[in-house]
Amino acid sequence: MTSHQPQASHHISAPASPAAVACPVCSIETVPHDVVDFSKNCEEARQRFLPLAGWPIYYHRCPDCGFVLAPEFRQWSDQDFQQHIYNERYAEIDPDALSKRPAANADLLRQLFGGSHKEIRHLDYGGHGALSGALAEQGWDSAAYQPVPHDPQRLADLGKFNLISAFEVFQRAPDVNQLMQNLAALMEDECMVLFSTLLTDGTVKPNTRLTWWYAAPRNGHVSLYSRQSLTLLAEQHHLQFGSFNNGLHCLFNQLPAWAARLLTPKQT
Ligand SMILES: [Zn+2]
């Protein structure tokens, strides 16, 4: 009668449960949401799959604010990121990063603010120079800054800006509070930060697997934000948060006049 009951095995042992991880935004305990292979990358949206790496990456979700993080990357050094993510093969899983995306984003900034560019001191946070170079060619005061490796002196030497762009940067931050502190330190009293990252709202939900293409450890997408988590982060750093759409957002202290025009409903 016992022949169909599973036998206790001496060959396997129960693995450890995922460790408890506090939400870096609202401090309550997150729930382990899913585990994916390290090779999961954004190009899977275009049917490009890498061989499995055999390296499980856990993503946790905050049940309160909706922030999603892969806690493992908080232990990584800058060198670890260089070796495993931003290495010589990175372009294969982010082919638009080198020129297509910077060119499109330079166009966007020109469309939004081109008429006011003489009043703008611009920093492309996380940019490697293509975007700021394209703007500088057209007479903008524009610089680029790479936040890795973290260097407080280099950050302080940059000065302050009234327009900061951070395209596809937020989801790469293993420490979101460090990111917010860095940005706040670079902001003039009247400054807008324009940034892109896709929101988890409506996509990463309880009782669903993490199939979303944007949750991609191979691309360094280690922090995924909900609207609520960005609102809370802004408040904690004495900033205001707004969204233009699901992918394009802004933070500001006081809006410069040329930016206020963008956010104020047009008079009819
Ligand atoms: Zn939270």
Side-chain angles (χ1 to χ4, degrees), residues 23-28 30 62-67 229 232:
C23 174
V25 179
C26 69
S27 301
I28 75 161
T30 59
C62 176
D64 202 16
C65 77
F67 183 70
S229 64
L232 287 171

Side-chain angles (χ1 to χ4, degrees), residues 16-263:
S17 305
V21 173
C23 174
V25 179
C26 69
S27 301
I28 75 161
E29 188 171 334
T30 59
V31 294
H33 180 80
D34 206 349
V35 56
V36 302
D37 187 82
F38 176 74
S39 288
K40 188 173 184 295
N41 76 87
C42 292
E43 284 298 293
E44 292 180 6
R46 299 189 239 198
Q47 295 300 308
R48 181 185 168 84
F49 288 80
L50 297 175
L52 294 182
W55 189 354
I57 303 293
Y58 282 83
Y59 279 82
H60 286 231
R61 174 177 46 79
C62 176
D64 202 16
C65 77
F67 183 70
V68 172
L69 74 157
E72 157 144 9
F73 294 98
R74 298 192 299 185
Q75 321 302 327
W76 280 33
S77 65
D78 293 336
Q79 199 179 5
D80 292 331
F81 280 98
Q82 288 298 332
Q83 183 178 345
H84 296 291
I85 293 178
Y86 304 114
N87 55 23
E88 69 286 352
R89 303 198 67 176
Y90 180 78
E92 294 174 28
I93 43 84
D94 192 359
D96 296 341
L98 264 183
S99 58
K100 191 175 172 185
R101 195 159 63 229
N105 288 333
D107 283 346
L108 174 68
L109 292 179
R110 272 195 296 263
Q111 282 167 25
L112 292 175
F113 306 119
S116 309
H117 79 265
K118 289 192 166 59
E119 302 165 61
I120 292 175
R121 271 174 46 74
H122 169 250
L123 179 72
D124 187 33
Y125 186 96
H128 51 72
L131 189 161
S132 58
L135 292 178
E137 271 179 19
Q138 306 209 351
W140 287 53
D141 180 350
S142 179
Y145 174 69
Q146 278 288 344
V148 178
H150 180 60
D151 180 346
Q153 188 58 50
R154 198 166 53 96
L155 192 71
D157 289 347
L158 277 175
K160 291 181 185 283
F161 303 85
N162 61 6
L163 176 64
I164 299 173
S165 56
F167 291 107
E168 299 304 297
V169 165
F170 272 54
Q171 72 274 14
R172 303 179 194 282
D175 181 342
V176 297
N177 287 296
Q178 180 77 67
L179 169 66
M180 294 295 289
Q181 284 165 20
N182 286 0
L183 290 171
L186 293 164
M187 295 172 75
E188 290 180 3
D189 292 342
E190 291 186 358
C191 176
M192 183 163 106
V193 179
L194 186 72
F195 68 101
S196 69
T197 197
L198 289 185
L199 300 181
T200 59
D201 298 71
T203 302
V204 184
K205 297 179 284 193
N207 302 320
T208 61
R209 302 309 300 247
L210 191 62
T211 55
W212 190 28
W213 67 271
Y214 203 66
R218 179 62 186 85
N219 286 67
H221 290 193
V222 302
S223 292
L224 306 169
Y225 304 77
S226 62
R227 202 172 294 281
Q228 172 72 357
S229 64
L230 286 170
T231 304
L232 287 171
L233 274 173
E235 275 175 24
Q236 290 162 8
H237 294 268
H238 311 291
L239 299 171
Q240 298 190 65
F241 164 70
S243 276
F244 300 95
N245 55 47
N246 190 52
L248 187 65
H249 323 280
C250 66
L251 296 164
F252 55 93
N253 36 29
Q254 294 289 318
L255 277 180
W258 43 263
R261 286 197 294 274
L262 191 73
L263 295 184

